[in-house]
Amino acid sequence: MQFDLSALETATLVFIATLVFAAVLAIFVLTAALAAMLLLGLGRLAWAVAAGMLLAVVHGINAGWEIVARAAVGFPSRTSASGAREPVPAPSTGTYPRVI
């Protein structure tokens, strides 16, 4: 026995076609949403890597500049044996303490 579409009513064919069209649209929307989430995730990852690298470069420049400045002035490093920084007294400008 062969399958004959002419035996189906028009309303049944319209209903089946509507379900197929809805499935195609749903697959398209889900695929687009997945692609958007992947692109946003990759963009966020790239931003986090770039920001981390920039922060590392800035910290490296600051550390290097501190070493160079201390070597140029001839001051030893102001750290105690435990590695904690010792407070440095701020020089006074006369009436008001210096604020930097």
Side-chain angles (χ1 to χ4, degrees):
M1 180 172 178
Q2 292 181 345
F3 183 72
D4 187 13
L5 287 177
S6 62
L8 294 176
E9 293 184 16
T10 304
T12 305
L13 290 174
V14 169
F15 179 73
I16 292 171
T18 303
L19 289 178
V20 170
F21 186 68
V24 169
L25 283 178
I27 290 171
F28 174 75
V29 169
L30 290 174
T31 305
L34 180 63
M37 287 190 308
L38 287 174
L39 288 174
L40 286 172
L42 289 175
R44 173 68 176 121
L45 177 64
W47 177 258
V49 168
M53 288 174 57
L54 181 61
L55 194 62
V57 167
V58 168
H59 283 301
I61 290 172
N62 285 343
W65 180 251
E66 183 176 355
I67 292 169
V68 169
R70 290 192 184 283
V73 177
F75 289 129
S77 176
R78 293 190 186 271
T79 57
S80 63
S82 67
R85 287 199 161 289
E86 297 175 5
V88 179
S92 175
T93 57
T95 309
Y96 299 104
R98 175 189 267 179
V99 178
I100 295 180

